[in-house]
Amino acid sequence: MEPEFHHHPLTSVWKWITFTCDLCGKTDKGMPYLCNPCGFWIHGRCSLFPRKVKVVHHKHLLHLIHSSLEFHQSDSRFCQICVQEVDTCYGLYYCSRCDFVAHLNCAMENKENINLQEFKDEDEVSELDESVDSTYKVKKYNMREGGIQIAAEIKHFSHEHDLMVTEQLLKNQKCDGCVRAIVPPFYSCVKCSFFLHESCANLPKKKQHPLHQHPLSLLPMKPSKDFRCYACHRKCNGFTYSCETCRFRLDVQCSMISEILTHPGHDHTLILSGVESSQNCSCCDSRTYPIFRCTTCAFALDFRCATLPHSIRYKQHEHPFALSYRAEDNSSEYYCDICEEKRDSKYWFYCSEDCSYLAHPKCIIGKYPNYKFGGTYTFDCHSHPLTFIEETKDRPRCNKCNDTCEKECLDPFEKLECEAFDIFVNEALCVGKVPRQLIVELYRLKQEPQQSIDDFFFHTCNICGSEFHYMNQHGLCLQCPIFCEYRDQLKKFSSLPSIEKVFKERVQEDSRPFY
C-alpha cells in the first residue's frame, strides 16, 4: 500500500497484535500496516487520510503531518476546529502559513468538497477578493481636517436616493445596515429615514466567513422582510450576508467577527469552535452553536453575547449603560432594575454608573434588538400605508391571519391570502385537526430549495422550537413531538398537488376568487 502522505510503501502485517497507531495515536488490536525503513505503524483505515484537505474554517490548504520531527512545536497545541488539545506526536493537519492546526477527524468532518487537483500551487487556494466591487459610487468629495478627502455624497446600491455624509448626533435612530444606534460619521438620506454608518457603507460586497464554505453576498432586506442569522439566531431586517447556493445568512454584526476573538470580557483569546459542544455560554448560560471557546480555561462565548453593544441607551433613561462582566459587589442577591427579577452574578449585565441602575442584557436591548422599526410599507391586503412598529400592549389580532400580533404571521405566501391557505389545509389536505403551523412549515420546505445537511450545522425547528442538527425527510427535527403526533395523517403530503392548482380548481368550481 502506498498512502498519499508517506514517501515509503506500507506492508501489511498478517498477525493479530496490539499496537499504537502512529497516525491517530490510538492503541488497538489488529493487523496494522508497517513501514519497515521508518518503523511506522498505522491502522488500515488511517492509511486513507488524504495528504491535503481544504476545510471550511480556513482559507488555505492543510497538509497532513505524521511525525513530531516534521512539526517543531514544544508547546501544547489546540485544534482550531474543535478547540481541544492536539497531541503533536501523532498525525495532524497543519497550515504552515498561518500556524493553523486541526485534528485528523475534525479536518475530515469539516472539509470542503472541492477538486484540489485544479490548483497548480498545492499550497494555494483561490481567495475571495473582498475589495472588488464597491457598494457605492461617489458623487461629491469634501476635505476633512488634515487634508483627508471623504466621500460627501454617494449613491449606495441598497437605496434608491443619494446619501449625504453627516456629522451631527441623532437620538433614537438606527443604521439600516447593522441595525445598531447611529453615531457620526454616517450617511443619511434627505428624502427618507435611511441611515448608514460610514463603516457599513464600506462593507465588502462579497465575503468569505469561517462558518460557511461558500462566498457570501451583501444584500439589503426587501421592504417588510426579515431573516434569521445563522450565528446569533436572532431575526433581523438589516443587511445580510447571504449565500447564493443555500439558505445560509449572517447579519452584519456577526459577519464581522473572525474565528479568533479577543473580547474585553475575557482575559484569554477565544477560538470559534467548528463542532457542536455541550458547553454552555459562560455569560448567559444558553446552549447554542456556533460558540467561541477558550483554550486556557473553561470559558465559552456565544455570538449573542459576543455582539452585545459595549455601550447602549435605554428608552428615555438619562444616562448610558455600559456592559459589565463581573459582579458589582459581594452581596448575596442581585436584581434587575427593569424587570425586578433576580440576576445571576456569574453572567454579564448592563450598568449605569451614574445612577447605579443595573439590568439584564435582554431587558436593555429588548425583544427585537436587530429590527429597525418605523418604516412605512404598502400591502395588497390594505388600502393605506402601514407602519412597522414593535408589539403593542393590547396585542390585537392580525387582520390577515387572525393570530395575535405578538406572533409572526404564519402565511408563507406573498400573494395568497390566509383564507385561501385555510381552504387548502381543510379541504385539499383533509387532515382535520393537524395544526395549521405544521402544514405551513411543510409547504414552505416543499417550495424552497432543499439544503443538504453539510450546508449547515444548526437549525431551530419552526414547529416545536427545539434545536437540532439532523432532519427527517420533511426538514423537521427528528424529535419534533408535534410532527410525530400527526405523522400518519401527513403521509400523503409528498404526493399532494401544488397549492396553485388546487386554488384554480376551486375557483372554477365556485366562480369566486380567493385573493
Side-chain angles (χ1 to χ4, degrees):
M1 176 183 289
E2 296 185 3
E4 289 185 20
F5 55 82
H6 196 63
H7 50 280
H8 298 142
L10 303 180
T11 304
S12 178
V13 178
W14 295 100
K15 187 176 182 180
W16 197 270
I17 62 172
T18 300
F19 70 101
T20 299
C21 177
D22 287 313
L23 202 63
C24 69
K26 294 180 180 179
T27 300
D28 206 350
K29 290 183 179 181
M31 293 183 289
Y33 283 85
L34 170 66
C35 174
N36 285 307
C38 303
F40 182 68
W41 301 78
I42 64 168
H43 292 107
R45 62 179 181 272
C46 291
S47 66
L48 302 177
F49 280 110
R51 181 170 60 90
K52 55 188 178 181
V53 296
K54 173 68 176 68
V55 298
V56 175
H57 289 70
H58 194 63
K59 59 185 177 181
H60 300 135
L61 295 182
L62 303 184
H63 292 258
L64 195 153
I65 305 296
H66 62 83
S67 170
S68 59
L69 298 176
E70 300 180 64
F71 191 75
H72 305 289
Q73 294 284 346
S74 57
D75 298 334
S76 62
R77 297 301 304 270
F78 285 82
C79 171
Q80 288 177 248
I81 296 178
C82 71
V83 201
Q84 297 293 316
E85 192 168 0
V86 175
D87 190 339
T88 58
C89 294
Y90 298 100
L92 54 90
Y93 279 104
Y94 182 61
C95 173
S96 58
R97 292 186 179 190
C98 309
D99 200 28
F100 183 99
V101 175
H103 288 121
L104 299 176
N105 289 333
C106 290
M108 295 304 295
E109 290 171 3
N110 289 271
K111 72 183 183 75
E112 291 186 28
N113 294 320
I114 59 175
N115 183 11
L116 300 182
Q117 303 301 323
E118 296 177 356
F119 304 103
K120 296 179 181 179
D121 183 351
E122 64 178 17
D123 290 325
E124 192 64 56
V125 174
S126 57
E127 296 181 30
L128 187 68
D129 187 354
E130 297 184 359
S131 63
V132 177
D133 295 333
S134 174
T135 55
Y136 63 85
K137 293 181 179 179
V138 181
K139 292 198 167 185
K140 182 181 178 182
Y141 286 99
N142 279 350
M143 298 296 291
R144 277 182 179 161
E145 294 182 7
I148 301 175
Q149 189 180 57
I150 64 164
E153 184 178 349
I154 63 172
K155 179 68 177 71
H156 198 269
F157 85 102
S158 66
H159 194 61
E160 58 184 326
H161 307 135
D162 293 344
L163 305 178
M164 305 290 293
V165 70
T166 306
E167 300 285 349
Q168 69 184 57
L169 183 64
L170 292 181
K171 291 184 178 181
N172 302 321
Q173 290 291 351
K174 284 187 173 184
C175 171
D176 284 81
C178 65
V179 204
R180 291 292 172 91
I182 200 74
V183 291
F186 61 90
Y187 289 98
S188 63
C189 177
V190 296
K191 296 183 179 181
C192 57
S193 297
F194 185 90
F195 305 98
L196 272 186
H197 288 123
E198 191 175 47
S199 57
C200 291
N202 287 284
L203 288 170
K205 210 164 187 177
K206 295 282 187 180
K207 192 179 188 72
Q208 193 76 50
H209 197 276
L211 284 174
H212 196 62
Q213 66 182 35
H214 303 135
L216 304 177
S217 301
L218 181 65
L219 298 173
M221 270 292 97
K222 294 180 180 179
S224 78
K225 299 297 180 182
D226 61 7
F227 67 96
R228 187 184 297 276
C229 175
Y230 170 87
C232 67
H233 312 299
R234 285 194 178 111
K235 285 199 168 184
C236 177
N237 65 349
F239 288 2
T240 174
Y241 274 103
S242 177
C243 178
E244 297 175 359
T245 306
C246 49
R247 291 179 287 177
F248 182 93
R249 286 180 172 180
L250 290 177
D251 63 37
V252 170
Q253 289 294 324
C254 293
S255 74
M256 293 192 292
I257 299 182
S258 63
E259 64 268 36
I260 299 178
L261 175 65
T262 300
H263 196 281
H266 191 62
D267 297 332
H268 311 133
T269 300
L270 304 173
I271 297 177
L272 178 60
S273 175
V275 297
E276 184 182 4
S277 170
S278 59
Q279 189 174 3
N280 289 8
C281 175
S282 303
C283 309
C284 67
D285 199 38
S286 67
R287 177 173 294 184
T288 185
Y289 174 86
I291 198 167
F292 290 89
R293 300 175 67 187
C294 179
T295 60
T296 306
C297 61
F299 184 86
L301 181 67
D302 64 15
F303 269 83
R304 285 197 177 193
C305 293
T307 55
L308 284 173
H310 301 298
S311 179
I312 191 173
R313 289 192 172 273
Y314 174 69
K315 295 184 177 179
Q316 304 303 319
H317 196 83
E318 182 181 0
H319 306 118
F321 287 80
L323 184 60
S324 300
Y325 313 111
R326 295 169 183 84
E328 62 275 17
D329 53 42
N330 296 321
S331 61
S332 58
E333 292 187 345
Y334 304 89
Y335 288 88
C336 171
D337 289 322
I338 295 178
C339 68
E340 299 182 351
E341 294 182 1
K342 281 189 176 182
R343 290 187 297 108
D344 194 317
S345 61
K346 300 192 302 289
Y347 305 137
W348 291 358
F349 61 97
Y350 277 101
C351 173
S352 177
E353 296 182 354
D354 296 303
C355 55
S356 300
Y357 201 89
L358 312 173
H360 294 119
K362 65 179 181 180
C363 294
I364 288 288
I365 65 175
K367 190 175 180 179
Y368 308 102
N370 289 356
Y371 277 114
K372 179 175 179 178
F373 296 100
T376 302
Y377 310 100
T378 57
F379 298 91
D380 294 337
C381 61
H382 192 63
S383 58
H384 306 136
L386 301 177
T387 302
F388 184 41
I389 64 171
E390 204 162 354
E391 64 182 12
T392 57
K393 292 182 179 180
D394 55 345
R395 294 173 180 171
R397 289 194 174 273
C398 173
N399 287 81
K400 187 172 182 179
C401 68
N402 203 38
D403 239 328
T404 57
C405 287
E406 62 178 335
K407 302 177 182 178
E408 59 180 308
C409 180
L410 299 177
D411 187 6
F413 316 113
E414 294 184 1
K415 297 181 180 180
L416 306 177
E417 296 296 334
C418 288
E419 178 189 355
F421 188 75
D422 287 334
I423 293 171
F424 174 72
V425 172
N426 296 328
E427 299 188 16
L429 273 176
C430 299
V431 294
K433 297 181 180 179
V434 173
R436 183 175 183 276
Q437 183 181 358
L438 178 56
I439 305 299
V440 171
E441 187 60 25
L442 287 175
Y443 186 81
R444 188 201 309 274
L445 291 165
K446 192 176 179 183
Q447 295 297 100
E448 292 180 357
Q450 289 299 309
Q451 183 179 19
S452 69
I453 208 68
D454 292 332
D455 288 337
F456 61 88
F457 305 96
F458 175 91
H459 191 68
T460 300
C461 178
N462 288 332
I463 306 304
C464 68
S466 62
E467 299 169 354
F468 70 98
H469 292 259
Y470 300 103
M471 300 187 299
N472 58 24
Q473 69 271 28
H474 293 284
L476 304 177
C477 63
L478 294 174
Q479 295 81 23
C480 180
I482 301 176
F483 176 81
C484 294
E485 181 180 352
Y486 298 98
R487 187 192 308 273
D488 293 337
Q489 294 171 284
L490 293 168
K491 286 181 179 178
K492 65 176 77 174
F493 186 80
S494 59
S495 59
L496 285 174
S498 69
I499 188 171
E500 289 81 4
K501 183 179 179 181
V502 174
F503 288 159
K504 287 180 180 178
E505 292 175 353
R506 182 62 186 267
V507 168
Q508 290 174 355
E509 291 175 6
D510 292 0
S511 299
R512 62 183 178 87
F514 294 94
Y515 53 92

